[in-house]
């Protein structure tokens, strides 16, 4: 285990014209009347506590009466853009219950709770500063993982749907002890696959509070899935170890599950399965992926010293000269995906 892997606050990378062109082509752009910076003008706030009375590091915000009406109407319209292509016929039945602001982490998001007053169902979405790193992370997750991502961008504002699941740290603390031995083995399998996706896609800082565990009922047993919820550290860190979730001390119980429940040949089998599936996804999204890589290669996504370190780390890991030749984080990702294509042939090829 590598317990000495600090993550420092990363710098913000604005969207450039090439990335805007990509977002327009793939229907990720929208128009709204409220920006991230507008929500920062709250007049007051109170701390949000969980059911156990612990500080959640979120605060509930309050605005003056005039701004509240305007902001709430805009947020309800954003909800319809995200979930029903802007259909406003049921707008009158939507209510903005809460606007919470996170005081922890890089993106400082706002979490919006929207409730349907007819049936009391509710959902959340997030408004954040539109950082290019995070957008590339969202797109790579949508292309490379089994999970789809729903988000929209308006100028420098990012709107993201809520990803349902149990935060990894909460799962370890409150739920793992209640799992059967076969369920623990299944979680270990999923963690191996999750670890492989993060490493190949260079998604960093996947500590337990940055991913969720999703229990799914299937006939007479529960299937567990693991998916990322934080994409701020996409292609940013120089140390290759920071793209391997099993090396974070916060994830040690998952790492231990893998060691306790899986034999070495099973771990290798699950890694190969994930690589093979990943290659099939790459082949099925070739045009979109090439467009995304073009946008990634057009901009700086990390300080030069981190780029140089990651080039050498990945070269030593793969012995592929293309990593050494890379001139940007986009080229490192391209080298990684091409390495996968060469070494793990898809059944469709």
């Amino acid at each position: 285990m590598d317990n000495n892997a600090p993550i420092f606050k990363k710098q913000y990378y604005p969207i450039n014209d090439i990335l805007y062109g990509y977002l327009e082509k793939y229907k990720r752009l929208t128009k709204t009347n409220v920006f991230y910076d507008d929500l920062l003008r709250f007049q007051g706030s109170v701390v949000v506590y969980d059911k156990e009375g612990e500080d959640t590091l979120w605060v509930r915000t309050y605005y003056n009466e005039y701004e509240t009406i305007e902001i709430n109407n805009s947020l309800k319209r954003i909800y319809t853009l995200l979930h029903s292509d802007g259909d406003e016929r049921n707008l009158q039945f939507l209510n903005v219950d809460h606007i919470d602001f996170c005081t922890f982490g890089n993106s400082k998001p706002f979490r919006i709770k929207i409730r349907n007053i007819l049936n009391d169902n509710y959902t959340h979405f997030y408004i954040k500063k539109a950082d290019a790193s995070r957008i590339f992370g969202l797109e790579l997750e949508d292309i490379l993982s089994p999970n789809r991502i729903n988000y929209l961008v308006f100028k420098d504002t990012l709107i993201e749907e809520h990803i349902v699941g149990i935060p990894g740290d909460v799962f370890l603390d409150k739920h793992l002890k209640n799992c059967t031995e076969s369920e623990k083995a299944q979680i270990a399998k999923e963690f191996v696959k999750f670890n492989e996706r993060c490493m190949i896609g260079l998604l960093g800082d996947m500590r337990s509070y940055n991913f969720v565990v999703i229990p799914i009922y299937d006939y007479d047993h529960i299937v567990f899935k693991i998916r990322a919820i934080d994409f701020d550290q996409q292609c940013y860190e120089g140390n290759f170890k920071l793209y391997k979730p099993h090396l974070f001390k916060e994830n040690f119980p998952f790492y231990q599950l893998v060691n306790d429940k899986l034999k070495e040949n099973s771990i290798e089998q699950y890694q190969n399965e994930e690589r093979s599936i990943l290659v099939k996804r790459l082949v099925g999204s070739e045009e979109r992926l090439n467009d995304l890589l073009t946008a990634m290669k057009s901009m700086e996504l990390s300080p030069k010293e981190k780029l140089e370190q990651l080039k050498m780390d990945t070269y030593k890991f793969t012995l592929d000269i293309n990593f050494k030749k890379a001139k940007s984080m986009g080229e490192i990702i391209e080298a990684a995906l091409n390495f996968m294509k060469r070494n793990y042939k898809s059944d469709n090829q």
Side-chain angles (χ1 to χ4, degrees):
M1 292 288 290
D2 178 12
N3 293 338
N4 300 305
I7 298 284
F8 301 102
K9 184 174 176 63
K10 69 178 285 293
Q11 67 185 79
Y12 166 79
Y13 292 98
I15 302 172
N16 68 5
D17 290 341
I18 296 176
L19 179 52
Y20 267 120
Y22 172 92
L23 294 172
E24 183 175 22
K25 179 177 180 179
Y26 292 99
K27 312 300 182 186
R28 296 294 197 182
L29 294 184
T30 190
K31 291 184 178 180
T32 74
N33 293 323
V34 64
F35 294 88
Y36 175 86
D37 288 345
D38 294 330
L39 296 182
L40 289 173
R41 298 199 304 267
F42 52 88
Q43 302 296 303
S45 64
V46 295
V47 175
V48 178
Y49 296 96
D50 63 20
K51 292 179 180 179
E52 283 73 40
E54 298 292 327
D55 186 349
T56 62
L57 302 179
W58 290 81
V59 296
R60 189 143 296 158
T61 61
Y62 299 96
Y63 301 82
N64 65 47
E65 184 177 356
Y66 171 76
E67 284 194 315
T68 296
I69 295 171
E70 184 179 356
I71 287 172
N72 285 359
N73 286 335
S74 295
L75 292 176
K76 288 189 286 186
R77 287 188 171 87
I78 287 174
Y79 171 86
T80 66
L81 289 169
L82 197 60
H83 293 285
S84 59
D85 291 328
D87 185 347
E88 297 184 2
R89 284 177 293 179
N90 294 314
L91 203 65
Q92 60 183 314
F93 304 122
L94 300 179
N95 187 68
V96 179
D97 279 9
H98 304 304
I99 303 174
D100 295 339
F101 178 64
C102 184
T103 58
F104 174 75
N106 286 313
S107 59
K108 297 288 197 310
F110 285 91
R111 180 178 62 199
I112 317 300
K113 181 181 178 181
I114 298 285
R115 181 169 54 89
N116 186 313
I117 61 176
L118 293 179
N119 52 39
D120 220 31
N121 284 330
Y122 66 87
T123 189
H124 296 89
F125 66 87
Y126 299 86
I127 293 184
K128 306 174 181 180
K129 197 78 170 175
D131 176 55
S133 298
R134 186 174 185 89
I135 290 173
F136 287 128
L138 290 166
E139 282 294 317
L140 287 169
E141 175 77 0
D142 198 63
I143 294 171
L144 301 182
S145 84
N147 310 303
R148 302 283 67 82
I149 294 287
N150 187 17
Y151 76 91
L152 294 168
V153 175
F154 180 51
K155 296 186 178 179
D156 62 350
T157 296
L158 173 65
I159 304 156
E160 277 184 50
E161 70 173 352
H162 174 65
I163 297 174
V164 176
I166 305 169
D169 55 339
V170 175
F171 184 85
L172 292 176
D173 184 44
K174 298 182 179 180
H175 299 276
L176 182 59
K177 59 190 174 186
N178 298 320
C179 293
T180 66
E181 295 307 307
S182 63
E183 288 171 348
K184 289 177 181 177
Q186 203 264 329
I187 293 167
K189 169 187 172 181
E190 286 303 310
F191 188 72
V192 169
K193 292 191 168 192
F194 176 69
N195 192 83
E196 200 68 13
R197 289 198 301 275
C198 293
M199 181 184 69
I200 293 166
L202 295 181
L203 177 59
D205 196 22
M206 280 299 104
R207 303 167 193 259
S208 56
Y209 47 77
N210 285 331
F211 60 84
V212 292
V213 180
I214 308 170
I216 303 170
Y217 287 85
D218 183 23
Y219 294 107
D220 59 348
H221 68 291
I222 300 176
V223 176
F224 293 88
K225 300 295 181 182
I226 299 176
R227 64 180 296 188
I229 58 172
D230 191 307
F231 303 91
D232 288 336
Q233 296 285 340
Q234 177 66 54
C235 302
Y236 179 75
E237 292 297 336
N239 186 346
F240 190 40
K241 291 179 179 179
L242 298 178
Y243 299 102
K244 301 177 181 181
H246 74 281
L247 294 181
F248 288 111
K249 63 183 179 182
E250 292 87 347
N251 299 340
F252 180 72
F254 289 109
Y255 172 84
Q256 202 166 31
L257 272 186
V258 173
N259 283 343
D260 292 345
K261 297 297 179 182
L262 303 180
K263 296 185 182 299
E264 191 63 37
N265 58 350
S266 294
I267 295 173
E268 186 175 345
Q269 173 198 338
Y270 298 140
Q271 289 172 330
N272 287 334
E273 285 179 5
E274 193 60 31
R275 293 166 189 165
S276 177
I277 293 172
L278 192 147
V279 170
K280 292 177 184 178
R281 295 186 190 119
L282 293 179
V283 173
S285 305
E286 197 164 354
E287 180 183 352
R288 180 181 168 195
L289 182 63
N290 287 337
D291 289 343
L292 183 67
L293 291 172
T294 297
M296 292 187 77
K297 290 185 286 186
S298 73
M299 60 190 304
E300 179 187 278
L301 293 172
S302 185
K304 185 175 180 181
E305 61 272 15
K306 291 181 183 289
L307 171 65
E308 294 301 318
Q309 181 184 4
L310 188 59
K311 282 169 53 175
M312 296 311 300
D313 279 3
T314 48
Y315 169 69
K316 291 173 185 176
F317 184 73
T318 62
L319 299 180
D320 183 342
I321 194 65
N322 290 304
F323 287 101
K324 210 171 183 179
K325 292 179 178 179
K327 297 178 181 178
S328 67
M329 283 294 186
E331 289 189 14
I332 292 181
I333 277 284
E334 184 175 49
L337 299 181
N338 286 337
F339 179 83
M340 287 291 301
K341 288 180 185 178
R342 289 195 303 271
N343 288 279
Y344 299 93
K345 299 298 183 182
S346 167
D347 290 340
N348 296 329
Q349 289 179 297

